[in-house]
Amino acid sequence: VQLQASGGGLVQAGGSLRLSCALSGGTFRSFGMGWFRQAQGKGRTFVAAITRSGESSYYEDSVKGRFTISRDNAKRRLYLQMNNLKAEDTAEYYCAAGYFLATERRADYWGQGTLVTVSS
């Protein structure tokens, strides 16, 4: 399974970005999917997750109401719409796939990161 994330960049505080992640080499709908992030000098932390069907989603408290995770099983793609971005959202963002990711935050596969930088 390979995951390819894209969509990061430099944005001003209050702005928006949409991250995308494409899965290949596996059955997309078999996996819960999620996003994690790692700020410089800190550990990787959970951001958002979505179940296999897309019916349920989960968020870390600081992004609730600002970020929306979604998936398109036909296109084998995962998305993260990020609105009202803050300087503290600056991090490398990683997409992940896992059989139990949505419920246990446990990833079996990781993509490469895409850097999001929010200027204040």
Side-chain angles (χ1 to χ4, degrees):
V1 173
Q2 289 85 43
L3 299 167
Q4 181 73 37
S6 61
L10 175 64
V11 63
Q12 289 188 332
S16 299
L17 280 175
R18 189 192 194 204
L19 304 184
S20 179
C21 177
L23 184 146
S24 61
T27 304
F28 185 71
R29 63 181 179 274
S30 295
F31 297 105
M33 299 293 295
W35 292 95
F36 294 74
R37 64 186 178 185
Q38 185 168 16
Q40 193 169 7
K42 297 186 178 181
R44 191 175 299 185
T45 59
F46 169 77
V47 176
I50 190 166
T51 55
R52 300 172 190 180
S53 65
E55 288 185 357
S56 298
S57 55
Y58 308 88
Y59 298 92
E60 188 267 327
D61 285 347
S62 70
V63 308
K64 285 180 181 176
R66 300 188 298 121
F67 290 11
T68 302
I69 189 170
S70 62
R71 65 189 294 162
D72 186 329
N73 284 354
K75 294 183 178 179
R76 303 159 64 88
R77 282 191 171 268
L78 173 73
Y79 304 100
L80 185 68
Q81 178 67 43
M82 304 185 294
N83 298 329
N84 190 21
L85 282 160
K86 304 176 180 181
E88 52 263 41
D89 295 317
T90 295
E92 193 86 15
Y93 283 72
Y94 298 87
C95 66
Y99 296 102
F100 303 102
L101 192 149
T103 54
E104 300 179 10
R105 311 290 190 262
R106 181 155 52 96
D108 296 294
Y109 303 98
W110 293 94
Q112 94 295 352
T114 185
L115 181 63
V116 172
T117 304
V118 183
S119 62
S120 56

